Amino acid sequence: RRVAILENIVDATNIGAIFRSAAALHMDAVLVTPSCCDPLNRRAVRVSMGTVFQVPWTRIGNDPSAWPQPGIARLHRLGFQVAMALNDKAISIEDPRLLAVEKLAIVLGTEGDGLAPRTIADCDYTVCIPMSHGVDSLNVAAASAVAFWQLRAR
């Protein structure tokens, strides 16, 4: 009912931390785009505390052309709605509509640039974590933990 999609995340430390959060915070699976760092990278495995071997995961195709349109279309065919991006039109991660979604794919973007505009355009929801004190965003690994906890299936 809840899957994490990692779009082009290249830092092994972030990949490992996201897998650890996915295991701890109720994600059913992790899908990585073809341009992501390998979750079996030694550093990613170490940072994940081995949870990369506990959480089911796979790549969304072997070629960059498999994401975003073909991958998101496949998620939609499987009944998933997709969400997560940082922009001015985003709804709060606390919006009750998100908890009502039966099957949710939480898409997390690369360090620095975030999600590709094409990915955001194909998402059912654009969702953000409200920030304070002038902070504009969180590191992708920290944002994943917040999103996984808040959007977990209940």
Side-chain angles (χ1 to χ4, degrees):
R1 295 181 50 204
R2 295 295 187 263
V3 298
I5 313 272
L6 311 185
E7 181 181 271
N8 305 334
I9 297 173
V10 297
D11 185 272
T13 301
N14 283 334
I15 293 285
I18 292 168
F19 267 85
R20 189 171 177 182
S21 293
L25 301 172
H26 314 283
M27 290 294 104
D28 297 315
V30 176
L31 307 174
V32 297
T33 62
S35 299
C36 266
C37 170
D38 184 356
L40 298 179
N41 169 293
R42 189 176 71 135
R43 180 134 177 89
V45 171
R46 193 171 119 244
V47 172
S48 81
M49 301 290 292
T51 57
V52 70
F53 302 113
Q54 295 174 337
V55 177
W57 70 273
T58 193
R59 287 201 180 273
I60 299 174
N62 294 317
D63 183 89
S65 66
W67 184 263
Q69 273 81 17
I72 291 177
R74 188 169 187 192
L75 288 166
H76 283 143
R77 284 192 304 275
L78 294 170
F80 282 92
Q81 293 184 34
V82 293
M84 212 60 191
L86 188 62
N87 73 24
D88 295 337
K89 297 178 184 175
I91 62 172
S92 171
I93 197 167
E94 298 169 315
D95 192 302
R97 291 176 288 182
L98 296 169
L99 294 179
V101 175
E102 185 170 332
K103 294 171 89 175
L104 186 64
I106 302 165
V107 187
L108 300 159
T110 188
E111 302 87 348
D113 294 332
L115 292 174
R118 287 175 54 195
T119 303
I120 294 170
D122 288 344
C123 284
D124 299 289
Y125 296 96
T126 305
V127 180
C128 70
I129 299 167
M131 300 283 133
S132 64
H133 299 292
V135 176
D136 65 348
S137 67
L138 295 173
N139 165 279
V140 67
S144 75
V146 172
F148 298 165
W149 174 254
Q150 178 63 30
L151 301 174
R152 70 194 184 281
R154 298 187 179 138

